[in-house]
Amino acid sequence: MSVSNKPSLIQSTVLGGTAAMFAVNFTHPIELVKTRVQVTNEGIMATCSNTMKHEGMAAFWKGIPWAYCREGSYTAIRLGAYAPVRDAIGAGSPDAPAHMKFLAGAITGAVGSVAGNPFDVLKTLSQTNKSESVPLMTLVGRMYKDQGVGGFYRGVQVNIMRAITLNATKMGVYDISKGYVVESTGWQRNSPKTAFCSSFLAGFFMTVTVAPFDRIRTALMNQPTNAKVYDGMVDCFVKTVKNDGPLSLWRSFVPIWARFAPMATLQLLTIEFLYASFGFKSI
């Protein structure tokens, strides 16, 4: 099969989901630490130490079933659908305008965030729970009883904004960086070395742009199932800045970057590998 063959939207989305579900096995513990740092304001080392001491090693994978569901919906769309959507809006060539590549990432990020929001909420509640793990269906039933269907979409506004910013940055920077890496090194565009360097750059810029949205999203999603602490995204933003200061929006920058860099690298290397395995043209 020729490597110039392009995957369909469905094919690419399935491959994106597969890549994301593989990568999350390695990045989930980092995200758990990041989420707890944001909620408790403890340091990274203290969070790791307390989690290990009081809950054991397995606690670092709390919420992993919901993470699989999230990656199979949200990330499958924002990662896998990027190339077909980019090509559909005429931004498939390496010299296409940068803003069009960012637009493709924003579109797939927004759609994916709506699909994955319920799993994001349940994953966040599972990760911040420091007592015994709550059975999956018990958590779902408790949420539905206390807040109805709307409870599964708490924080959806900021999640959409976060996903638009994240995916526009991630896929846009990755796509554009590949061109610069190829030009400066002479490597092939589909080379793993090109993908690694480009995805690492994407991970850094993702952290810079996404950290404030991530902070607000975590606060909204971590509200108790039977209580409403914030009256939406703007209220949460105002209270966070008022109580903790503007720089608190970048709290957990290091663990976020520690997650984003390997996450972006693993996801993008894996989907490029899957594309090549099925004879599809690289991103």
Side-chain angles (χ1 to χ4, degrees):
M1 186 181 294
S2 171
V3 294
S4 64
N5 187 32
K6 296 180 180 179
S8 68
L9 179 62
I10 298 298
Q11 289 172 325
S12 190
T13 300
V14 170
L15 294 181
T18 302
M21 292 175 74
F22 169 75
V24 78
N25 290 290
F26 304 96
T27 60
H28 189 78
I30 304 172
E31 187 187 12
L32 180 134
V33 173
K34 178 269 297 182
T35 301
R36 291 191 174 187
V37 168
Q38 289 177 324
V39 171
T40 64
N41 201 22
E42 290 182 340
I44 297 172
M45 296 308 296
T47 300
C48 292
S49 176
N50 289 335
T51 300
M52 176 68 78
K53 179 179 179 180
H54 299 295
E55 302 172 68
M57 178 67 76
F60 288 97
W61 279 268
K62 272 188 174 180
I64 191 69
W66 298 122
Y68 287 138
C69 294
R70 176 184 184 269
E71 301 306 310
S73 54
Y74 165 58
T75 310
I77 295 172
R78 70 175 177 84
L79 175 65
Y82 170 75
V85 170
R86 176 202 63 190
D87 295 343
I89 64 174
S93 63
D95 58 349
H99 70 274
M100 295 298 288
K101 296 182 184 292
F102 281 95
L103 176 61
I107 291 171
T108 54
V111 174
S113 68
V114 175
N117 201 84
F119 306 120
D120 241 340
V121 171
L122 295 167
K123 175 176 64 69
T124 300
L125 289 173
S126 295
Q127 288 178 323
T128 55
N129 171 35
K130 295 187 178 183
S131 57
E132 291 186 11
S133 296
V134 179
L136 303 185
M137 295 314 297
T138 300
L139 187 59
V140 172
R142 186 181 299 169
M143 174 66 78
Y144 184 75
K145 178 183 177 182
D146 292 337
Q147 297 192 20
V149 175
F152 296 100
Y153 284 90
R154 55 164 59 169
V156 68
Q157 298 95 337
V158 71
N159 210 23
I160 292 172
M161 294 301 298
R162 175 186 180 275
I164 288 173
T165 305
L166 183 153
N167 216 48
T169 305
K170 175 182 179 179
M171 302 309 297
V173 170
Y174 176 71
D175 205 338
I176 294 167
S177 295
K178 287 185 80 174
Y180 286 115
V181 171
V182 168
E183 185 177 332
S184 60
T185 64
W187 298 339
Q188 294 296 313
R189 189 174 175 86
N190 60 355
S191 167
K193 294 183 292 185
T194 303
F196 178 84
C197 293
S198 302
S199 58
F200 190 83
L201 284 172
F204 174 77
F205 285 104
M206 283 164 62
T207 310
V208 174
T209 59
V210 171
F213 295 102
D214 199 80
R215 174 82 168 86
I216 300 303
R217 183 195 68 154
T218 298
L220 286 169
M221 291 185 173
N222 191 52
Q223 297 173 94
T225 61
N226 60 351
K228 190 175 184 181
V229 180
Y230 305 106
D231 188 23
M233 177 178 69
V234 175
D235 182 56
C236 184
F237 174 83
V238 171
K239 288 179 178 177
T240 300
V241 172
K242 181 180 179 181
N243 295 332
D244 300 329
L247 290 181
S248 69
L249 297 174
W250 280 270
R251 182 185 293 170
S252 300
F253 183 92
V254 172
I256 291 174
W257 187 22
R259 171 179 174 254
F260 276 173
M263 179 191 72
T265 302
L266 275 171
Q267 287 180 351
L268 290 164
L269 281 173
T270 304
I271 195 172
E272 293 280 22
F273 171 77
L274 292 173
Y275 266 36
S277 298
F278 285 91
F280 296 136
K281 182 181 178 181
S282 71
I283 296 174

